[in-house]
Amino acid sequence: MHEELENFERNHVRDLVEPPPNRRPICTKWVFKNKRGEDGMVVRNKARLEGIDYEETFAPVARLEAIRILLAFAASKGFKLQQMDVKSAFPNGFIEEEVYVRQPPGFESADFRTGKALYGPKQAPRAWYARLKSFLLKSGFVMGSVDKTLFLLSCGGDTLIVRIYVDDIIFGGSSHALVSSFLEQMSSGI
């Protein structure tokens, strides 16, 4: 829980305020999960605050066939692929709506206002995808015309491929320098 709350502070997720009388805050709950390694042993305990909001659903999910094609293409071109799980992806997304959130019992304030996405509300994946898409397009990537989870960057004779799967990113390219540069940009924050 402490790590999740630290992410809130670092990403400026909340302002502790009372909502206006005409606004109803969405409810939240803490969700606890154990992350397991390949051997099935618990490697990390995770907690995240989830909002409960069911008005809109969207998640950037690549089809399994598209991932298979990416793997085959990368193998044929000798690309080394990497996978990145974006930590705190959703709270890095900006939402357009003014959202008030009711905190779980035991917090200093009953409610807060947020301009960032939380886990749980259906706007969260859309907000994260919009921010990542904007970053990639500004960085010179071209989005697939049919598959909106595929992004390509051509730099000289080199190519970098990025595929988004909710809060995971699979990427690789013909140039180690191009791949390393992308990894560094993503690690430093978008």
Side-chain angles (χ1 to χ4, degrees), residues 122-154:
K122 301 303 179 182
Q123 304 96 320
R126 176 179 50 104
W128 160 243
Y129 173 76
R131 184 166 182 195
L132 180 58
K133 178 177 109 176
S134 174
F135 167 77
L136 292 171
L137 294 175
K138 286 178 185 172
S139 298
F141 283 83
V142 176
M143 182 172 55
S145 58
V146 175
D147 185 346
K148 305 301 183 192
T149 66
L150 178 68
F151 293 84
L152 300 171
L153 176 68
S154 294

Side-chain angles (χ1 to χ4, degrees), residues 40-65:
M41 299 293 293
V42 174
V43 294
R44 185 167 177 223
N45 296 313
K46 294 175 70 173
R48 76 177 172 210
L49 186 64
E50 287 193 354
I52 303 168
D53 180 19
Y54 301 104
E55 291 187 19
E56 184 179 345
T57 302
F58 172 83
V61 178
R63 295 177 53 129
L64 187 55
E65 297 87 358

Side-chain angles (χ1 to χ4, degrees), residues 67-162:
I67 293 173
R68 286 182 181 150
I69 291 169
L70 173 63
L71 295 173
F73 179 78
S76 73
K77 296 291 186 183
F79 290 7
K80 181 179 177 184
L81 291 178
Q82 296 187 36
Q83 183 269 341
M84 173 186 288
D85 178 27
V86 181
K87 195 172 189 176
S88 300
F90 294 164
N92 278 302
F94 297 105
I95 54 176
E96 296 172 14
E97 302 87 353
E98 185 173 60
V99 175
Y100 292 88
V101 179
R102 171 136 309 129
Q103 297 193 104
F107 283 83
E108 61 195 69
S109 171
D111 302 317
F112 64 88
R113 179 180 56 223
T114 184
K116 302 270 187 114
L118 298 172
Y119 290 92
K122 301 303 179 182
Q123 304 96 320
R126 176 179 50 104
W128 160 243
Y129 173 76
R131 184 166 182 195
L132 180 58
K133 178 177 109 176
S134 174
F135 167 77
L136 292 171
L137 294 175
K138 286 178 185 172
S139 298
F141 283 83
V142 176
M143 182 172 55
S145 58
V146 175
D147 185 346
K148 305 301 183 192
T149 66
L150 178 68
F151 293 84
L152 300 171
L153 176 68
S154 294
C155 188
D158 292 317
T159 303
L160 179 64
I161 301 172
V162 174

Side-chain angles (χ1 to χ4, degrees), residues 60-64 67 149 163-170:
V61 178
R63 295 177 53 129
L64 187 55
I67 293 173
T149 66
R163 177 158 305 278
I164 303 168
Y165 189 89
V166 188
D167 63 349
D168 290 307
I169 301 172
I170 302 170

